[in-house]
Amino acid sequence: MCTVTLSYNQKDKVAREKLAALLSTGLFVQLDIHEELDMDYTDSSLYEIDPTLPEINRDMTPQELEELILEDIHSIYEGKYAV
C-alpha cells in the first residue's frame, strides 16, 4: 500500500472529471486528509522493491509511461472502465 497526495484546482471542471475517472478505476480511494493511516513506518518491508516487478526503463517519456500504465489498468480490469 502507498499513499499518493494530489493537489488540484477544485473549481476546474476538467480536473474534477479526471480525478473522478482515476477514482473510478478502483485502484485509488479518496481519504480525508486529516485521517490518520494505521501504518508502521518503521517497517523496513515498506521500503523494499518487489523483485518480481519488471525493470523500470528510466528513459521513457511521460507519454510512453502513461501508455504502459493504461495498458496495465486495461488488462487488470479487462477494459470494463474507460480511462
Side-chain angles (χ1 to χ4, degrees):
M1 178 171 114
C2 74
T3 300
V4 177
T5 303
L6 297 175
S7 62
Y8 69 102
N9 180 352
Q10 294 178 344
K11 296 178 183 179
D12 183 339
K13 180 182 177 187
V14 174
R16 289 192 317 267
E17 290 172 353
K18 290 188 181 264
L19 177 61
L22 181 66
L23 293 172
S24 73
T25 65
L27 297 174
F28 300 94
V29 293
Q30 192 169 9
L31 299 176
D32 182 351
I33 61 171
H34 302 292
E35 185 176 321
E36 183 71 27
L37 296 176
D38 184 25
M39 293 183 68
D40 177 10
Y41 290 97
T42 62
D43 180 359
S44 63
S45 69
L46 292 174
Y47 308 101
E48 295 173 0
I49 296 176
D50 185 348
T52 63
L53 293 175
E55 184 65 32
I56 297 172
N57 179 354
R58 304 265 183 215
D59 297 326
M60 295 177 85
T61 65
Q63 292 79 17
E64 291 171 328
L65 183 57
E66 179 184 23
E67 289 175 20
L68 181 66
I69 291 169
L70 288 176
E71 285 175 18
D72 284 347
I73 290 172
H74 286 265
S75 68
I76 292 168
Y77 288 97
E78 299 172 354
K80 287 196 296 188
Y81 303 101
V83 178

